[in-house]
Amino acid sequence: MNKEDIASIRRELKTNNSKLKIQEICSYYVKQDSKAILCSEKMYFDMMDEEKKELYLKNFKKILSGKIDSKIFELEFKNNKLGKNLTQKHMFDTLRTDNFSEATLIIVNKILEETCEIYEKDFMITFVRGEAYKSARKDNNELDDEISYTLGFFLGSICPIIMPKKSLKFDFEEREFITSVPMNAIINTEAPIEGFMFPSFSDNAADTDKVVYYTQKENQPNQLFVDNILDCEFKPTAKAEKERFLEVVRDVVGAEIEPEVVSNIYEELGRRLDVEAESGEVSLIGLKDMERILENSGIKTEDKLRSSFLEVLGAENYEFKASSITPNQGTKSIKIDNNTAAITIGPQDIKNVKQVTKDGIRYLMIRIDDTATLEGFDLVTEEF
């Protein structure tokens, strides 16, 4: 699964779309403190008014939005070599059952039993089942609208419920100030806490051995939900992957490194991502790949890299995702800091940074192409 696979489903989640058929939506209002279902509702999508449809679809789009391995994770079911994972079987049945509400209620009760305590407020759990119609591709990679196939899926979303606050208002008839107590709670559909989609998709084909999980908090997936509700193998976040990658590099190079070397490493990784974008296949960095990247960046690895791999990662066959360990080339994603200042720059500008000493005093020098500003003033240029 890559970002285009996710985006291809997300794009279809819009009203009046002939390539999308949404069947029913089941919603459950849950009281957090008592673990009780206060209310449930089953509605067929076609019977909803347009505004309600839009709100639900916007919510489901959120579940398929965000950076892969930071907010969206493709997870494999545990102990599933023989395809006998019970959670996977139930999700399969939920896709095909005639009683969608009954099947989703089983998942809701599991959430109440296993993970309800992690939510701070009352919440709404919503499920939707649908089919997306995708056009096949011709030999020249163009879409053939005359040949299509169906991708069936269902989505689950957990949204916080906001209790409206009391307010003071003026009563024009009685000419007095009175307290207003709103009675209707607000479902924050624009900020789901977490959710999932089954099955996962890759190259417009369903992968029923995997589920797509979404978390609102970047690089903070809810392990309790992944373990107990989805029954999936937990995987490192992109942030954790990058930290482990840099730990291996530090173990090989030592505590100090030249900016040009870091720049070269990220340029090498950037080329891997370019290949990934062209091929559509996820680029993985194993021991041999990392050895070539470091050697091309000017680092002599000798036998140190292999032992570092074993020490930090626990295995020689470990593979990093290139997309997880490469900083965003389009933003100032690299941070340089000490107790005096914190500076952020783009990866392409790392080679323009140097740490130097003059008269026993340490300075940080950054080559710039235009005048720097301070509080709206242009800085005076001095000879060094």
Side-chain angles (χ1 to χ4, degrees), residues 64-230:
L64 301 176
S65 301
K67 187 178 177 182
I68 292 178
D69 293 331
S70 291
K71 298 192 77 168
I72 297 179
F73 299 81
E74 184 183 47
L75 306 173
E76 294 188 23
F77 292 104
K78 293 178 183 175
N79 307 318
N80 201 35
K81 291 182 179 179
L82 299 178
K84 293 186 177 181
N85 181 287
L86 294 179
T87 300
Q88 181 197 30
K89 182 180 183 303
H90 179 70
M91 288 192 177
F92 228 138
D93 293 341
T94 304
L95 269 181
R96 299 176 295 183
T97 182
D98 293 331
N99 197 334
F100 186 59
S101 58
E102 185 178 293
T104 57
L105 182 57
I106 293 173
I107 300 174
V108 172
N109 285 328
K110 195 174 180 182
I111 290 172
L112 296 183
E113 293 170 8
E114 304 285 354
T115 65
C116 193
E117 290 84 359
I118 65 174
Y119 307 118
E120 298 176 354
K121 304 175 182 177
D122 295 352
F123 54 95
M124 181 183 77
I125 309 176
T126 304
F127 298 92
V128 61
R129 181 166 58 169
E131 295 176 337
Y133 303 103
K134 309 293 290 184
S135 298
R137 289 192 178 274
K138 302 178 183 178
D139 293 338
N140 59 3
N141 208 34
E142 292 182 359
L143 293 177
D144 186 350
D145 292 331
E146 295 182 2
I147 303 175
S148 62
Y149 50 93
T150 303
L151 297 175
F153 64 91
F154 82 95
L155 276 157
S157 169
I158 300 177
C159 295
I161 291 176
I162 302 171
M163 302 307 294
K165 297 179 180 179
K166 295 179 182 180
S167 60
L168 197 63
K169 72 175 186 179
F170 181 70
D171 188 324
F172 281 93
E173 291 184 1
E174 300 295 332
R175 297 288 178 176
E176 63 178 351
F177 296 97
I178 61 174
T179 302
S180 172
V181 184
M183 298 302 294
N184 295 326
I186 298 170
I187 317 298
N188 192 357
T189 55
E190 295 189 3
I193 303 168
E194 55 193 343
F196 67 92
M197 179 181 73
F198 176 82
S200 178
F201 295 99
S202 182
D203 295 327
N204 288 326
D207 188 344
T208 55
D209 290 329
K210 298 175 182 177
V211 63
V212 177
Y213 167 74
Y214 164 87
T215 179
Q216 180 187 53
K217 297 179 179 179
E218 190 167 325
N219 289 305
Q220 295 183 51
N222 177 5
Q223 188 164 355
L224 199 61
F225 193 92
V226 171
D227 284 339
N228 297 351
I229 307 304
L230 302 180

Side-chain angles (χ1 to χ4, degrees), residues 278-321:
E278 291 178 6
S279 66
E281 296 182 3
V282 175
S283 179
L284 299 174
I285 308 297
L287 176 60
K288 290 295 182 183
D289 301 295
M290 192 168 176
E291 185 177 8
R292 282 191 291 271
I293 289 171
L294 295 184
E295 292 281 354
N296 291 340
S297 302
I299 299 172
K300 299 298 181 182
T301 61
E302 298 175 346
D303 296 328
K304 182 64 175 173
L305 182 59
R306 186 178 301 275
S307 61
S308 296
F309 242 67
L310 284 170
E311 184 177 340
V312 176
L313 307 168
E316 287 187 16
N317 60 351
Y318 191 91
E319 292 180 313
F320 296 100
K321 272 189 178 181

Side-chain angles (χ1 to χ4, degrees), residues 19-54:
K19 293 184 177 181
L20 176 72
K21 178 177 177 55
I22 293 181
Q23 297 156 0
E24 60 267 82
I25 292 179
C26 297
S27 299
Y28 303 85
Y29 185 118
V30 176
K31 292 290 293 179
Q32 191 275 340
D33 53 0
S34 63
K35 300 184 181 181
I37 299 173
L38 187 64
C39 176
S40 64
E41 177 183 87
K42 174 184 174 180
M43 286 194 69
Y44 287 96
F45 189 72
D46 290 341
M47 297 176 65
M48 293 181 177
D49 61 58
E50 290 300 310
E51 288 186 353
K52 196 169 184 178
K53 286 180 181 179
E54 288 283 0

